[in-house]
Amino acid sequence: MINSIIEGISAALNTEFGDDYKVYVEKKEQGLEEPCFFILSINPTHKLFLGTKDGRKRYFKENSFCIHYFPADELNPRTEIHSVCEQLEDCLEWITADGDPIRGTQMHYEIEDDVLLFFINYDLFTYKAQEETAMEEFELSQNVE
């Protein structure tokens, strides 16, 4: 599911910013082409909730992400960052993952060393069919002597 959300984020970024902005999903030590984004999943969690009436297990998954933005403007990076941040709030509010819309929540951002760190959660419930276990017949016979 996390890879699907990353693909959804990447697609939303590409739609909003176009091909001039590179999107990275794997860490790259050197050769970043600025302006660019880097998508990072942060500590995903899941919790088991009460099941459903039809016997499925229900899990609540918290999917936190940090999207780094490296600006191209070296003279006024913060001006560019603030502008990009407003666009991120709009384009990442709803993404599509596995064909389903998911809403982004808990958006906030920080600026460190002239790099934008944009945080967003894509939390959702997932369902799994509960495995059915059927008892088999067992025959026992004893002799008493």
Side-chain angles (χ1 to χ4, degrees):
M1 184 55 147
I2 291 176
N3 287 334
S4 298
I5 294 172
I6 290 173
E7 289 173 12
I9 293 170
S10 181
L13 293 174
N14 192 299
T15 300
E16 179 72 20
F17 295 95
D19 293 332
D20 293 335
Y21 291 71
K22 193 88 168 150
V23 178
Y24 297 97
V25 294
E26 296 290 337
K27 190 172 184 178
K28 190 167 183 178
E29 297 292 330
Q30 297 178 4
L32 290 175
E33 297 176 28
E34 298 167 345
C36 65
F37 295 96
F38 173 65
I39 304 169
L40 178 66
S41 172
I42 306 171
N43 302 325
T45 64
H46 74 278
K47 298 174 189 167
L48 179 62
F49 269 64
L50 290 175
T52 62
K53 290 181 182 180
D54 61 358
R56 295 181 297 164
K57 289 184 177 179
R58 184 169 67 150
Y59 295 89
F60 183 69
K61 295 192 176 192
E62 295 181 41
N63 300 297
S64 301
F65 291 89
C66 179
I67 300 163
H68 295 71
Y69 174 70
F70 299 88
D73 189 345
E74 294 179 10
L75 298 176
N76 300 307
R78 289 185 179 257
T79 303
E80 181 180 345
I81 285 172
H82 291 296
S83 174
V84 166
C85 187
E86 290 177 9
Q87 288 178 271
L88 289 175
E89 290 171 345
D90 291 336
C91 78
L92 295 179
E93 183 175 4
W94 287 96
I95 63 166
T96 302
D98 287 336
D100 296 319
I102 302 176
R103 186 170 186 262
T105 61
Q106 301 181 36
M107 292 184 225
H108 65 281
Y109 69 95
E110 300 171 8
I111 300 172
E112 290 184 13
D113 298 327
D114 293 331
V115 174
L116 171 65
L117 305 176
F118 186 86
F119 298 92
I120 189 167
N121 278 27
Y122 291 100
D123 303 333
L124 51 100
F125 280 99
T126 59
Y127 300 89
K128 290 184 182 178
Q130 194 163 359
E131 293 181 23
E132 292 187 30
T133 55
M135 294 187 66
E136 296 180 17
E137 279 190 39
F138 180 74
E139 190 173 313
L140 177 66
S141 63
Q142 288 184 324
N143 290 335
V144 180
E145 293 183 29

